[in-house]
Amino acid sequence: MKKTILDYDTVDLDEENNALVIIDQTKLPGSIELLKITDLKEMWDAIFLLKVRGAPAIGVAAAIGIYVEAVRLAETAKSFEEFYSGFAKARDYLDSARPTAVNLNWALSRMDEVAKRASELPLKDVLEKLHREAIEIREEDIRVCRSIGEYGLTLIKDGDGLLTHCNAGKLAAVKYGTATAPMYIGQEKGYHFRIFSDETRPLLQGARLTSFELHSAGMDVTLICDNMAGSVMRNGWVNAVFVGCDRVAANGDAANKIGTSMVAALAKQYNIPFYVCAPTSTIDMATPSGDEIRIEQRKPEEITEMWYERRMAPNGVKVYNPAFDVTDSSLITGIVTEYGIARPPYAESLERIFAKKSEEKQVK
Ligand code: MRU
C-alpha cells in the first residue's frame, strides 16, 4: 500500500548516523522530505524556520537534538566540566530558537537535569542516560497525546461537527497530536466526525498540515478560510472546538496560534464549547497569566508576499505579525490534559491536575 504522511515519524533519532530526523514541514503537502540533521545551527534553523513545529514536536526535537550534540561533544571532551560547558551553551542556543512554546525549554531542562545528575559518571554513561531521557520524552508524548484523546472523546459524540485552528495534529507531536487526538481515537472506535480546519494565515498550518493529515487519515475534513469560522458556526455545523496551545498560564489563559482567540470569542457567541488540549508539559505554572507570555513576532514577508506569485501589499506598508495570541481563560470551556479535564476556575483545577501527576509519579 502507498505510504501516507501518517506512516512517517514527525521527529525521530537516527541512531546509526547520530542524527535528528524530521519531516521538513515547510515542504508539505507538496512533497514529503525527511531531513537528517547533525549540526546544531541546522537544528536551530529547523525550529526557527518551522521545518519542525508545534509545541510537543519542538520539545521532542530539542531533546533528540541536544542528545545528538552531546554525542559530538563527548568525542573530544576530556572531563565532565568541559563536556557540560559545551552542553549548556547548546541548550541555551536551542532554547532561543522560539520563545512562546514552553515545551522547548521544558524538554531542554529535563535533558539538562539528567546531565547534571550524572556529573560523577564517565561520559559514556552520561550519554547513555541522555539517550534514555530523549527517547522517553518522545515515547511519553505518544502516551500523553493518546490520553488527551481519550479524555477529549468523552466531550463529543459520533457525528459531531468539530472545528480546529492551526495544526495541533500528528505533525505537531509524535503521534495523534493534541487537538486532533480525540478525532484519531474516535476514528479508531468507528466514529465519524465532520471536521472544519481553519486555513490559519499567515503560515497556513491548517491548509497545508491539518487538512493534509486528516484527509490522509480518511477523515471528513473541510478546509475553510479563517474568516469563515463564524459562518459555519452560525450554520449550526460545529458542536465543539478543539485547539492546541503553546503555553497555558497558571490562571488558564492559553497562548496558541494567532487567530485562536477570535475563534474562542466566536464559539462563545454561538454557545459552542471551546476546548484547549494541553499536555502538562505545555502548562507553565510559573507564568501567572497570559500577560506574561512572550509572543513571537515574525517577519512581515510572511504576510505581504509569502505564498503569492507576486507581492500583495504596498511596498513599505507597516506590518504586525505576531505568531500567537492569548485566549482569555474566561472563553475556555475546558483544558484537556493527560490527567483529566480542568474546568474553571483554572487556578485551582490546574493545581489539581499537577497534584494528580505527582501522585501518579510517586506510585510508579
Ligand atoms: O507556529 P507553529 O506552527 O509552531 O504553531 C503551532 C501551534 O500554534 C499549535 O497549535 C500548538 O503548538 C499546539 S501543537 C499540539
Side-chain angles (χ1 to χ4, degrees):
M1 236 173 42
K2 196 168 172 275
K3 269 178 142 184
T4 75
I5 189 64
L6 302 162
D7 299 311
Y8 292 86
D9 287 312
T10 309
V11 190
D12 206 358
L13 169 65
D14 175 348
E15 307 263 3
E16 213 172 299
N17 300 301
N18 187 43
L20 162 69
V21 187
I22 56 167
I23 302 169
D24 183 349
Q25 300 197 29
T26 60
K27 300 274 164 58
L28 297 176
S31 64
I32 300 175
E33 289 177 30
L34 296 184
L35 297 177
K36 288 192 180 188
I37 307 177
T38 51
D39 175 70
L40 191 67
K41 164 88 171 66
E42 274 180 44
M43 285 173 205
W44 190 95
D45 283 347
I47 297 173
F48 179 72
L49 297 171
L50 274 58
K51 292 180 181 181
V52 57
R53 34 68 51 208
I58 293 173
V60 177
I64 294 179
I66 196 135
Y67 166 72
V68 166
E69 177 65 5
V71 172
R72 201 190 62 76
L73 290 166
E75 277 165 14
T76 51
K78 291 184 187 56
S79 63
F80 179 83
E81 285 65 35
E82 192 187 334
F83 164 80
Y84 185 71
S85 133
F87 183 90
K89 266 192 215 132
R91 175 204 63 202
D92 292 347
Y93 177 57
L94 285 180
D95 199 13
S96 71
R98 294 192 79 189
T100 307
V102 67
N103 300 59
L104 179 59
N105 179 270
W106 168 86
L108 289 168
S109 302
R110 263 179 75 163
M111 295 296 283
D112 187 55
E113 279 305 310
V114 168
K116 281 195 296 213
R117 274 203 307 271
S119 64
E120 301 298 320
L121 302 175
L123 284 182
K124 80 168 190 2
D125 296 348
V126 178
L127 289 184
E128 159 67 32
K129 288 190 181 296
L130 287 170
H131 176 266
R132 201 178 309 153
E133 189 71 359
I135 298 300
E136 173 55 18
I137 288 175
R138 184 182 182 282
E139 297 306 305
E140 212 175 271
D141 184 72
I142 301 175
R143 294 196 297 273
V144 161
C145 287
R146 186 159 181 107
S147 175
I148 288 175
E150 276 157 6
Y151 281 114
L153 196 58
T154 65
L155 300 166
I156 48 181
K157 56 180 190 332
D158 187 21
D160 272 355
L162 309 175
L163 185 137
T164 189
H165 188 76
C166 192
N167 175 265
K170 169 224 150 72
L171 287 164
V174 179
K175 204 176 168 181
Y176 305 116
T178 59
T180 56
M183 304 169 193
Y184 283 115
I185 309 287
Q187 188 186 40
E188 275 177 23
K189 296 185 196 291
Y191 292 15
H192 177 91
F193 300 118
R194 291 168 291 104
I195 301 155
F196 293 93
S197 165
D198 285 349
E199 75 172 343
T200 318
R201 281 279 294 158
L203 293 184
L204 308 184
Q205 288 92 335
R208 296 187 302 107
L209 309 175
T210 304
S211 63
F212 180 46
E213 63 167 270
L214 297 184
H215 183 67
S216 302
M219 291 191 211
D220 174 352
V221 56
T222 304
L223 176 63
I224 57 172
C225 296
D226 299 331
N227 54 6
M228 296 168 190
S231 163
V232 297
M233 287 183 185
R234 192 168 193 279
N235 290 346
W237 296 344
V238 180
N239 300 94
V241 176
F242 283 99
V243 295
C245 60
D246 285 78
R247 193 182 294 247
V248 179
N251 72 344
D253 290 349
N256 189 46
K257 181 52 54 195
I258 191 71
T260 304
S261 65
M262 286 193 330
V263 179
L266 280 171
K268 188 167 182 101
Q269 165 70 15
Y270 292 108
N271 228 347
I272 296 167
F274 180 91
Y275 299 111
V276 171
C277 297
T280 48
S281 55
T282 306
I283 304 173
D284 178 8
M285 297 300 271
T287 295
S289 79
D291 294 345
E292 290 82 36
I293 299 178
R294 205 174 129 207
I295 300 290
E296 176 183 5
Q297 299 289 327
R298 296 188 66 89
K299 56 180 188 173
E301 291 76 18
E302 289 180 353
I303 296 182
T304 54
E305 41 197 274
M306 205 167 168
W307 318 115
Y308 296 125
E309 269 185 34
R310 60 194 162 81
R311 189 181 164 97
M312 277 294 144
N315 283 322
V317 72
K318 278 204 290 183
V319 170
Y320 175 55
N321 185 16
F324 302 96
D325 62 18
V326 173
T327 298
D328 214 86
S329 61
S330 62
L331 299 173
I332 301 172
T333 314
I335 299 177
V336 187
T337 78
E338 73 272 30
Y339 291 99
I341 303 165
R343 303 274 187 178
Y346 292 109
E348 284 112 72
S349 59
L350 291 177
E351 288 286 359
R352 283 197 297 276
I353 291 286
F354 279 97
K356 189 170 173 199
K357 182 175 181 173
S358 56
E359 259 168 45
E360 288 195 14
K361 258 196 184 158
Q362 274 159 20
V363 173
K364 280 182 197 161

